[in-house]
């Protein structure tokens, strides 16, 4: 029979291990003893000192876990040095673990506030465009990064409904046609869009190296949307560091670095769109820095700052706060 070799950690008891795997202590003992050599057998409620691993049935029925989060994002958008408008988004979501590496992400509520009344129609459109992504089933890899959207067909069906409602939300047919043209690719092949969304990158940050406190390690690379170069994505690589570890609680951070190969492409776009306005020099920075508090590898809270600058001028900036509720 297949089994898992569970490495015993400091503070573990038979009761705590059994609870992790949705078993009784007797079930745990019986399986271990029937699959281990004689010197490893356990016959009491205590873990013998010489035991460093316990054998567990790999076909155990894992308990589902549901975690609710409140996400608040404060966003500012600039026309170079002039603030155009700001928004505050507050979202409540639930993440349910359906199986190993399979998660159901459900949006329970969303409130968007905008500093300018001229953007009321925009907020209505934004609400409609968000509807296909209110319920998503995501598949991740061993490193914790999103690799697939399992309910892509369902998202596409919701988008077909939204397209009908868009025509009724505004008389501006040109805007509707543009939204539909752009949306057709987003909602029929949604993975690139999800991977370029800051919120999903914060909720699924990849695994930190929890065993090396203070050591900087290479993280993941991702492409996020640029506010300045509309429609373009900027390639970032993250470096991870565990700042502090106390028992099963961890404080960790991600810092992003702009990939050099991206600079040339963006420089060419700059020369076409902004050179006459801002001059020949091109100094660009796009960064996302986040700090996490984790317990049992579950996010307890996260704060993150996103900035996009060109020639020392802010283009856009956002601050995210994620709290488990």
């Amino acid at each position: 029979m297949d089994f898992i070799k569970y490495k015993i950690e400091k503070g573990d008891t038979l009761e705590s291990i059994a609870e992790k795997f949705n078993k009784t202590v007797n079930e745990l003992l019986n399986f271990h003893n029937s699959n281990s050599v004689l010197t490893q057998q356990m016959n009491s409620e205590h873990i013998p000192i010489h035991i460093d691993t316990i054998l567990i049935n790999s076909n155990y029925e894992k308990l589902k876990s549901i975690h609710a989060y409140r996400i608040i994002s404060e966003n500012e958008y600039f026309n170079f040095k002039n603030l155009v408008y700001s928004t505050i988004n507050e979202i409540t979501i639930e993440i349910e673990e359906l199986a190993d590496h399979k998660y159901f992400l459900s949006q329970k509520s969303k409130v968007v506030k905008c500093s300018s009344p001229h953007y009321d129609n925009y907020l209505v459109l934004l609400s409609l465009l968000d509807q296909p992504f209110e319920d998503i089933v995501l598949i991740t890899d061993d490193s914790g990064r999103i690799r697939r959207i399992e309910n892509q067909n369902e998202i596409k069906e919701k988008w077909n409904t939204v397209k009908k409602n868009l025509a009724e939300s505004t008389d501006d047919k040109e805007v509707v046609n543009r939204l539909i043209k752009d949306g057709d690719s987003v909602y029929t092949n949604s993975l690139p869009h999800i991977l370029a969304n800051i919120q999903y990158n914060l909720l699924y940050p990849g695994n930190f190296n929890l065993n090396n406190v203070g050591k900087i390690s290479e993280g993941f690379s991702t492409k996020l949307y640029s506010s300045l170069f509309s429609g373009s994505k900027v390639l970032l690589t993250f470096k991870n560091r565990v700042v502090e570890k106390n028992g099963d609680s961890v404080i960790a951070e991600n810092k992003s670095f702009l990939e050099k190969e991206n600079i040339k492409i963006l420089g060419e776009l700059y020369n076409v769109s902004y050179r006459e306005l801002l001059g020949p020099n091109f100094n660009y920075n796009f960064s996302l820095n986040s700090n996490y508090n984790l317990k049992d590898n579950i996010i307890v809270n996260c704060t993150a700052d996103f900035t996009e600058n060109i020639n020392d001028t802010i283009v856009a900036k956002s601050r995210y706060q994620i709290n488990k509720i």
Side-chain angles (χ1 to χ4, degrees):
M1 184 178 291
D2 293 334
F3 54 78
I4 296 169
K5 287 186 177 181
Y6 174 79
K7 178 72 174 177
I8 297 172
E9 299 177 355
K10 185 177 180 180
D12 273 341
T13 64
L14 288 176
E15 289 81 1
S16 66
I17 296 171
E19 185 177 352
K20 285 182 181 180
F21 292 90
N22 194 25
K23 295 290 183 184
T24 67
V25 171
N26 284 337
E27 287 173 328
L28 191 68
L29 287 174
N30 290 338
F31 184 85
H32 173 84
N33 289 339
S34 62
N35 289 277
S36 67
V37 297
L38 183 63
T39 55
Q40 287 185 316
Q41 286 189 342
M42 294 182 291
N43 300 299
S44 70
E45 60 186 24
H46 303 291
I47 302 175
I49 294 176
H50 66 277
I51 298 290
D52 58 3
T53 59
I54 292 180
L55 306 183
I56 297 170
N57 187 347
S58 62
N59 297 319
Y60 73 95
E61 183 180 350
K62 189 173 182 180
L63 285 172
K64 290 182 180 179
S65 59
I66 300 177
H67 305 287
Y69 290 95
R70 180 176 291 111
I71 304 171
I72 299 175
S73 61
E74 301 175 58
N75 314 285
E76 293 182 328
Y77 302 93
F78 297 81
N79 182 3
F80 298 104
K81 292 187 178 180
N82 298 317
L83 178 65
V84 179
Y85 69 98
S86 60
T87 64
I88 298 178
N89 303 343
E90 183 171 334
I91 306 171
T92 302
I93 64 165
E94 282 186 356
I95 301 177
E96 180 179 359
E97 186 176 4
L98 301 177
D100 285 343
H101 309 316
K102 183 176 180 179
Y103 302 90
F104 176 54
L105 188 67
S106 178
Q107 184 174 293
K108 298 302 180 182
S109 66
K110 182 171 185 176
V111 177
V112 181
K113 298 178 183 178
C114 186
S115 63
S116 173
H118 300 296
Y119 285 85
D120 285 350
N121 289 336
Y122 166 75
L123 295 180
V124 172
L125 293 173
L126 188 64
S127 176
L128 282 171
L129 294 172
D130 195 42
Q131 287 180 10
F133 290 138
E134 288 179 349
D135 297 299
I136 309 180
V137 179
L138 299 174
I139 308 298
T140 66
D141 60 16
D142 289 338
S143 68
R145 299 299 297 157
I146 300 169
R147 292 303 179 202
R148 187 164 61 86
I149 299 174
E150 188 168 88
N151 63 331
Q152 180 64 72
N153 289 336
E154 181 182 327
I155 291 171
K156 184 178 179 180
E157 290 173 5
K158 289 183 179 179
W159 168 237
N160 289 331
T161 301
V162 168
K163 283 197 287 189
K164 297 175 183 177
N165 295 332
L166 280 173
E168 301 172 0
S169 64
T170 177
D171 295 328
D172 193 332
K173 302 302 180 185
E174 183 179 345
V175 169
V176 170
N177 290 335
R178 187 168 68 248
L179 289 173
I180 289 176
K181 182 180 178 181
D182 294 340
D184 279 339
S185 61
V186 169
Y187 299 107
T188 55
N189 180 25
S190 303
L191 184 60
H193 176 81
I194 293 298
L195 294 176
N197 183 288
I198 293 178
Q199 177 179 299
Y200 292 99
N201 279 273
L202 293 174
L203 287 170
Y204 296 90
N207 291 335
F208 293 97
N209 189 341
L210 302 180
N211 296 319
N212 292 319
V213 177
K215 184 179 179 180
I216 297 174
S217 58
E218 291 291 336
F220 61 93
S221 295
T222 191
K223 291 182 179 181
L224 298 182
Y225 286 116
S226 165
S227 297
L228 181 65
F229 302 105
S230 180
S232 299
K233 296 175 185 176
V234 180
L235 181 62
L236 298 176
T237 294
F238 283 83
K239 295 185 183 296
N240 304 330
R241 184 168 73 99
V242 174
V243 179
E244 181 181 333
K245 185 176 180 181
N246 184 11
D248 56 4
S249 295
V250 172
I251 299 174
E253 66 180 11
N254 273 327
K255 290 186 179 296
S256 71
F257 296 84
L258 192 62
E259 287 281 7
K260 291 181 179 179
E261 64 188 76
N262 224 169
I263 297 294
K264 182 180 179 181
I265 298 171
L266 297 177
E268 292 172 354
L269 293 173
Y270 174 82
N271 288 333
V272 172
S273 304
Y274 301 108
R275 185 182 178 90
E276 291 186 8
L277 179 65
L278 298 176
N281 294 328
F282 175 60
N283 297 304
Y284 179 75
N285 184 54
F286 187 105
S287 64
L288 177 66
N289 298 329
S290 50
N291 289 273
Y292 286 88
N293 183 6
L294 307 161
K295 187 174 177 63
D296 290 327
N297 290 328
I298 302 296
I299 298 172
V300 176
N301 54 61
C302 167
T303 59
D305 291 292
F306 156 78
T307 56
E308 185 174 7
N309 297 275
I310 186 167
N311 298 350
D312 298 323
T313 299
I314 294 177
V315 177
K317 66 177 182 178
S318 301
R319 181 167 183 82
Y320 291 83
Q321 299 178 63
I322 301 175
N323 291 291
K324 192 170 182 293
I325 54 177

